Amino acid sequence: DIATAIQDVNVTGTELVDEIARPMQHLGDEFAVSATIGIAMFPEHTASAGSLRQLADAAMYEAKRAGKSRYQFFDAQSVA
């Protein structure tokens, strides 16, 4: 069901963002990176593969506007 799918994606999104943000060591230097992720779901948001990518891209830019190291589900109201 959709509620379970959304919950699973929330868990995965959080795990990805947190894991990517962990500082790393390389040749004695520490560095960190961050991820901003946009999420669109099939078929809830669209049935087209091309549109799915575009909607995920729009969600990513919404996430970037809200700050670093986060994920955002597509929301038609936020891009209208």
Side-chain angles (χ1 to χ4, degrees):
D1 81 41
I2 187 63
T4 301
I6 290 171
Q7 184 177 359
D8 290 346
V9 172
N10 271 311
V11 169
T12 302
T14 299
E15 289 173 349
L16 280 170
V17 168
D18 290 349
E19 188 64 29
I20 291 169
R22 285 185 39 204
M24 295 174 258
Q25 298 282 331
H26 181 70
L27 301 174
D29 293 323
E30 183 174 286
F31 64 98
V33 296
S34 65
T36 305
I37 302 168
I39 300 167
M41 296 180 68
F42 173 88
E44 286 72 25
H45 296 130
T46 183
S48 159
S51 291
L52 194 65
R53 190 200 58 75
Q54 289 175 336
L55 298 180
D57 199 43
M60 180 196 64
Y61 283 107
E62 281 297 311
K64 284 179 180 264
R65 281 189 275 283
K68 289 184 174 182
S69 291
R70 58 185 302 124
Y71 65 94
Q72 175 73 45
F73 282 88
F74 174 75
D75 178 1
Q77 292 179 343
S78 65
V79 296

